[in-house]
Amino acid sequence: MGKEVKTNAVRILDRNKVDYELKKYECDDFKDGVSIADMLGQSYDMSFKTLVTVGKSGKYYVFAIPVDKEMDMKKAAKEVGEKNIEMLHVKDINAVTGYIRGGCTPIGMKKSYPTVINESAKEHDKIIVSGGRLGLQIILKPDDLIKV
């Protein structure tokens, strides 16, 4: 069997000597975060989805929020100093981030974009984010996510 191919996110965690755990699961196509958390028996509060937005200025912003929450676009825009923001179109996710829908993680995108992690992450010893591809999760401390 061949060597496991690491995602950019995993390489960055290794390079920064961050303690993390990888969780693999079967997934052939996009499933939303709530469905994955249900499938794996994980808490919604600890499972974070990655949302990529574009501001009126044309700049990109990344938000990590619990999988069962909806983002208030006006509050998010205010948080990053924009008049308004909108979700990045699905067809543009790979070009902007280097990841695909359902495998997008706030760690190791093509470029470093301003990233906002929901403050509820600090309520947990560890949180779960995508590992950079379908069927892969990273479990790590919120402070380590902030660090990288």
Side-chain angles (χ1 to χ4, degrees):
M1 214 166 166
K3 187 176 150 188
E4 177 73 21
V5 178
K6 290 185 176 184
T7 63
N8 199 35
V10 172
R11 284 191 293 275
I12 287 170
L13 293 173
D14 287 346
R15 190 177 326 127
N16 285 281
K17 297 178 178 21
V18 170
D19 286 332
Y20 65 91
E21 179 185 333
L22 291 180
K23 170 94 176 163
K24 296 177 188 174
Y25 60 94
E26 281 300 313
C27 185
D28 294 328
D29 52 11
F30 172 77
K31 288 183 177 44
D32 66 85
V34 168
S35 299
I36 292 169
D38 287 344
M39 180 175 78
L40 300 176
Q42 296 169 332
S43 161
Y44 295 164
D45 293 344
M46 292 177 60
S47 303
F48 283 68
K49 60 185 172 184
T50 303
L51 303 175
V52 183
T53 63
V54 61
K56 190 170 180 80
S57 67
K59 293 180 181 173
Y60 298 106
Y61 303 95
V62 179
F63 295 85
I65 67 171
V67 295
D68 65 331
K69 303 294 186 222
E70 293 294 321
M71 187 161 68
D72 181 320
M73 299 301 270
K74 287 185 183 199
K75 285 182 182 176
K78 187 176 179 183
E79 181 71 28
V80 295
E82 286 277 357
K83 199 168 200 114
N84 61 41
I85 59 172
E86 59 185 42
M87 292 300 298
L88 183 66
H89 195 282
V90 172
K91 70 177 176 52
D92 298 324
I93 290 173
N94 184 260
V96 171
T97 69
Y99 294 118
I100 62 168
R101 181 179 188 212
C104 194
T105 180
I107 306 166
M109 292 188 179
K110 280 184 173 183
K111 293 183 180 174
S112 183
Y113 302 114
T115 301
V116 177
I117 301 166
N118 187 275
E119 62 190 18
S120 67
K122 292 180 180 177
E123 297 169 9
H124 304 283
D125 293 334
K126 293 190 176 180
I127 60 170
I128 304 163
V129 296
S130 174
R133 69 168 184 249
L134 295 176
L136 185 66
Q137 295 179 322
I138 297 170
I139 303 167
L140 75 171
K141 293 177 185 170
D143 287 343
D144 286 337
L145 178 60
I146 293 165
K147 181 173 101 176
V148 296

